[in-house]
Amino acid sequence: MITLGTASAAPGEIDVGRLEVGESRDGATVGLPVAVINGASPGKTLYMQAASDGDELNGVGVIQRVVPQLDPAELSGTILVVGIVNYHAFQVAQHRNPIDDTKMNRAYPGDERGTSSERIAAATFEVARRADLILDLHQGSTSRMINEVRVRCGRHHRMHAKCLRLAKTFGCGYVLDQKGPDGQLARAGPDAGIPTIDPELGGCVGWDEESIQKGVRGVYNVLHEYGFLDGDAELESQTRARGFDQYGSPAGGLVRFKQELGNEVSAGDVLFEVTDVFGQLKARVTADHAGIFWRSRRLPQVATGEYVCSVGINTDTY
């Protein structure tokens, strides 16, 4: 039997349950939704989680579609799933855990005696450490962003090549290969010797079916490539960026974009203009370096210095 929280599955079985991570303000038990898919044959273990940021729901959509399709009788190895990590933020559709005002993906590897977020991170990381591979499913919050996979361990890390391979296998088309902030699962996993990636499945309000389907395809690519399921993964070359140029607005007003997500831009290309409410031009912003138009704000109104967009730079393919 393989157990995760209250879920327990023998070989060839699937079970769902809850992983207790504390109590709510009224003293009720807080339990994260979990699943165990225990393959009929032995093999590797995959850990998947979603919604460590409470408004990033595309990963939940991926899990909602993948889990019912999996037949444990056809599976080699085990899949451990935490469907919603940031329980409190998910309940109120916020990015950060409202109990401690913390971004969950800065709390790993966690602390079982710490804040709400640190306790949840500790509980889920204990599960993740049982795995051979980790998928931490995200999206670009409510901004507009291309579908990408992030490798966050840093290019000099001993696990970098294995994380890069996992990112290519998942195969969104774009990879950000840049060391991430402390506290990310995609940093803590490799530090524990486990290849880990952070798929950022687009960006939207609610969820986006195209990005979810890319995530479903990515999970199945991993299952095929690493021997969980028979068959071949659909491997393709990935466009990799090693960093970002981020652009704020030089003036207050309304943004008018001159690029679409995924466009290749050259230094000097116009990225966006800012006008007043009567359409009079106030500012025009151009790219500092060549790259890929990667991410942009969703709402047009901006104040001076407010974030507008990002360009992925130092790009290549692999």
Side-chain angles (χ1 to χ4, degrees):
M1 299 288 287
I2 293 178
T3 298
L4 169 51
T6 62
S8 211
E13 294 182 350
I14 180 172
D15 193 24
V16 299
R18 293 274 169 170
L19 175 65
E20 184 175 341
V21 292
E23 296 181 347
S24 62
R25 288 168 172 160
D26 64 356
T29 298
V30 173
L32 310 182
V34 298
V36 176
I37 304 100
N38 191 354
S41 302
K44 292 181 170 64
T45 297
L46 171 68
Y47 172 73
M48 290 194 295
Q49 69 173 38
S52 73
D53 297 312
D55 60 351
E56 297 188 6
L57 304 182
N58 282 340
V60 181
V62 172
I63 287 170
Q64 184 198 50
R65 288 154 176 75
V66 167
V67 171
Q69 296 178 23
L70 292 171
D71 183 353
E74 298 177 354
L75 186 73
S76 297
T78 303
I79 304 174
L80 304 173
V81 184
V82 176
I84 297 167
V85 173
N86 198 337
Y87 175 89
H88 300 288
F90 178 84
Q91 298 300 322
V92 292
Q94 293 180 6
H95 194 71
R96 301 164 72 91
N97 182 347
I99 303 300
D100 55 19
D101 193 32
T102 297
K103 181 176 170 66
M104 182 72 68
N105 201 29
R106 299 295 185 271
Y108 285 92
D111 181 348
E112 63 182 9
R113 297 184 178 182
T115 66
S116 171
S117 294
E118 289 171 338
R119 289 170 185 248
I120 294 171
T124 53
F125 191 57
E126 183 179 353
V127 181
R129 287 174 65 96
R130 296 162 56 183
D132 300 290
L133 304 165
I134 297 173
L135 303 180
D136 184 15
L137 303 174
H138 285 263
Q139 72 183 52
S141 190
T142 56
S143 62
R144 299 173 61 248
M145 192 169 73
I146 60 176
N147 294 285
E148 50 145 326
V149 177
R150 296 190 170 185
V151 172
R152 302 302 255 162
C153 62
R155 292 188 289 277
H156 300 295
H157 198 284
R158 71 188 189 281
M159 300 300 296
H160 179 252
K162 291 183 178 180
C163 292
L164 212 57
R165 179 196 170 200
L166 182 57
K168 181 171 183 174
T169 300
F170 196 91
C172 276
Y174 296 93
V175 172
L176 175 66
D177 183 10
Q178 183 184 45
K179 188 174 183 179
D182 289 341
Q184 291 192 320
L185 179 56
R187 289 275 309 273
D191 285 349
I194 308 167
T196 306
I197 57 172
D198 174 351
E200 294 275 356
L201 300 170
C204 65
V205 177
W207 57 25
D208 173 72
E209 191 62 33
E210 180 179 348
S211 294
I212 290 171
Q213 289 304 322
K214 283 183 179 291
V216 171
R217 176 180 176 273
V219 171
Y220 271 94
N221 266 356
V222 170
L223 295 178
H224 288 300
E225 181 70 7
Y226 289 88
F228 294 90
L229 293 174
D230 291 338
D232 298 324
E234 301 175 14
L235 299 184
E236 300 173 350
S237 294
Q238 303 294 296
T239 298
R240 174 173 58 167
R242 294 180 174 87
F244 281 138
D245 283 340
Q246 298 194 74
Y247 296 88
S249 180
L254 301 172
V255 170
R256 184 162 56 201
F257 287 107
K258 296 299 183 179
Q259 303 292 337
E260 297 292 333
L261 294 178
N263 280 6
E264 295 185 7
V265 299
S266 300
D269 285 354
V270 177
L271 300 176
F272 64 90
E273 296 174 340
V274 181
T275 73
D276 64 18
V277 295
F278 304 109
Q280 296 300 305
L281 183 66
K282 298 183 69 176
R284 179 176 288 119
V285 174
T286 60
D288 294 330
H289 305 98
I292 306 292
F293 194 71
W294 204 274
R295 184 174 184 170
S296 66
R297 66 183 292 108
R298 184 171 298 277
L299 297 175
Q301 63 267 40
V302 291
T304 304
E306 192 168 6
Y307 172 81
V308 176
C309 66
S310 301
V311 173
I313 59 172
N314 298 328
T315 59
D316 64 3
T317 58
Y318 79 101

